[in-house]
Amino acid sequence: MSRYRDWLMSDYFDEKTKEELEAIKEDEAEIEDRFYKNLEFGTGGMRGIMGAGTNRINKYIVRKATQGLANYIINYSEDGQEKGVVIAHDSRHNSPEFSLEAALVLAANGIKTYLFDGMRTTPELSFAVRELDAIGGIVITASHNPPEYNGYKLYWDDGGQVVPAQARDIIAEIEEIDDFSIVKTIDEDEALDQDLLEYIGSEIDEKYQDTVIDVLIDTELVEEKGEDLSIVYTPLHGTGITAVPQVLDKLGFTKVAVVEAQADGNSDFPTVESPNPEERSAFELAFELAEEKEADLVLATDPDCDRLAPAVKDSSGNYQTLNGNELGILFADYLLKSSSESGELPDNGVIIKSIVSTDMVKEIAADYDVEVLDVLTGFKFIGEKITEFEETGDKEFIMGFEESLGYLVGKHARDKDAVVAAALAAIMALKYKEEGKTLLQRLAELREQYGYYLEDLESIRLEGKEGQEVIEKTLASLRAKSPEKIAGRKVKVAKDYQESKVVYLEEDREEKLKLPQSNVLQYLLEGEAKLTIRPSGTEPKLKFYFAVKEADQAAAEASLAEFKELVMSEMDSVMKSV
């Protein structure tokens, strides 16, 4: 309660904030939830519900985080103040305000800031950091979270999100700020007059869009046949409207219909239950328009446009969405096959994916002698490897992907890019249409060739302080007594990414894991099944990733359903016992 009283009594916090806090003075549970901790600043940034309090995201928390970043830039870089920071924001409530607050804190610390003049996509921010040779970047976004959320993501000079070692130093700088009043800020006019704030716009947009087109393959096909593919696109009230239609038009796709009711950047996301393209319900309006237009391809991006989901008609004439693993498989196959046929496949090519993404891509890549590298969940780890290989020349990056609808082709950015993914999906759909097939039919051919890999995700939402304790205790319990069997299947290999060890149970031997430490447990089971358990980095959830491989669809679906049911029953018992 002392923090609550401090905020009410301090002259630093404005009247609007105090009125909000006065309104909850009789609700002890709400006060505790808002103040029992500081909003966690993780390895890439922070995300939370907007509102007054230390465990909420508001302008004061944004200022404090930015002051910590400013201190880090001043203390850890030689020319960071001159190189500056690029800031972008999405379509959410308070996003423009939060981005300006961050810019003015940086300016008050003598750090040049480039601020986009309106909402822009996250991948364009990543590109802009590189294009402007900035020291870093900030995106104000909460991705596909509900309307009451917002967030703050940090990037460094390669255009990638800050990685854990660097994040720890930034977090340390933030945590040293124990008094909001020491955070520096100036007004906008002063920042502009001192040339410490510069608004950026169309010139960066054009360079970004042209660069996206430059990294794509088979663009000449679109120039010749672009009118043959009918596309429906929805930005789900987000930033994709600033880039996706423009790139598709520049490529030569002449039949692109945008879902106008979802093209307005409305912060409330009024037409969807959730602005998440992973959920079929988000496609409802897009499918209505697609039926009207007889569309070959439907594309949906999330509010900050770093995730893409496509949909095409199945054999029954119904639109079916493709998940992140399925599109990742199609991208890998298409890029490898096309590059091989054109003689442009690099000898040292590499595909990078997260540890929870499908292993089917490894079998496809093996046919082209291309390595597939696993990294921890979080696209920053893919970006980190791209930069490493660019510096060393050891590997040539082909593509990266995550099962959560994140993909990158090209090295123009260091984060997942739904703009380039949308363009590549459209080119791929056109190519297959000219061959008389759809994306789903090509996927079926690949499964016939390599086996039917099937994956799924189950998340348990555990809110507040008690929920966080359940998550931590559940993982600690599994770590303390590693299971020998899960869902009736023997555990062959157990990987503990926090303890940096992998145990081969059948061989009774142990090795060290080379990836960074992370609170993740992964089990490879008999019958080519895999289970991965990790807390979400952005939401109060415990996540369970399932993977099976069988000979055909029916067997895979039955195997996955049984596997999920047994695992969740066992995990329910574990959670109840902690």
Side-chain angles (χ1 to χ4, degrees), residues 55-266:
N55 190 31
R56 294 289 187 269
I57 190 162
N58 49 66
K59 66 181 181 183
Y60 304 109
I61 298 300
V62 167
R63 287 177 185 173
K64 178 181 174 182
T66 309
Q67 183 64 57
L69 172 64
N71 293 346
Y72 176 83
I73 290 171
I74 293 167
N75 294 333
Y76 286 82
S77 67
E78 292 182 2
D79 54 358
Q81 288 174 281
E82 293 76 26
K83 294 182 75 171
V85 173
V86 189
I87 302 178
H89 67 77
D90 67 8
S91 58
R92 290 177 176 272
H93 290 293
N94 296 315
S95 284
E97 178 188 5
F98 291 167
S99 61
L100 181 58
E101 290 284 359
L104 297 179
V105 170
L106 291 170
N109 284 274
I111 298 170
K112 172 83 175 186
T113 306
Y114 302 91
L115 181 60
F116 275 103
D117 58 10
M119 66 177 186
R120 291 300 192 282
T121 71
T122 288
E124 184 169 346
L125 178 282
S126 178
F127 169 82
V129 169
R130 298 171 59 78
E131 177 67 23
L132 295 170
D133 192 30
I135 194 66
I138 299 170
V139 183
I140 303 296
T141 180
S143 187
H144 55 274
N145 280 65
E148 62 269 24
Y149 281 79
N150 214 325
Y152 181 106
K153 292 200 296 186
L154 282 182
Y155 292 74
W156 203 239
D157 58 359
D158 67 342
Q161 290 186 52
V162 293
V163 294
Q166 186 179 34
R168 282 192 289 270
D169 290 332
I170 296 173
I171 292 167
E173 294 286 354
I174 295 169
E175 289 178 347
E176 281 190 17
I177 302 168
D178 56 5
D179 183 350
F180 284 97
S181 66
I182 67 173
V183 175
K184 298 177 182 178
T185 188
I186 58 176
D187 65 41
E188 184 179 2
D189 289 340
E190 187 179 354
L192 289 167
D193 289 344
Q194 295 181 23
D195 197 30
L196 288 167
L197 173 61
E198 179 179 335
Y199 282 97
I200 55 176
S202 60
E203 70 281 2
I204 298 297
D205 299 339
E206 292 294 331
K207 288 180 180 179
Y208 167 67
Q209 293 164 21
D210 291 344
T211 302
V212 165
I213 291 169
D214 286 344
V215 305
L216 295 166
I217 63 173
D218 291 338
T219 54
E220 66 283 352
L221 175 65
V222 189
E223 293 173 8
E224 298 171 9
K225 303 282 188 177
E227 71 278 0
D228 292 349
L229 192 77
S230 175
I231 303 170
V232 163
Y233 169 64
T234 174
L236 297 178
H237 302 287
T239 61
I241 195 64
T242 68
V244 173
Q246 293 83 343
V247 168
L248 292 175
D249 179 66
K250 286 184 177 184
L251 281 166
F253 288 106
T254 58
K255 294 181 179 177
V256 180
V258 176
V259 180
E260 291 300 329
Q262 296 175 329
D264 56 0
N266 191 315

Side-chain angles (χ1 to χ4, degrees), residues 15 33 124 220 307 345 372-374 389 475 480 510 522:
E15 286 305 311
D33 188 56
E124 184 169 346
E220 66 283 352
R307 300 171 193 256
L345 185 65
V372 175
L373 183 66
D374 280 331
F389 294 145
L475 288 164
E510 184 178 310
Q522 188 174 71

Side-chain angles (χ1 to χ4, degrees), residues 358-373:
T358 182
D359 288 329
M360 182 174 172
V361 71
K362 293 181 178 179
E363 294 204 41
I364 297 170
D367 283 349
Y368 296 90
D369 293 322
V370 166
E371 179 183 358
V372 175
L373 183 66

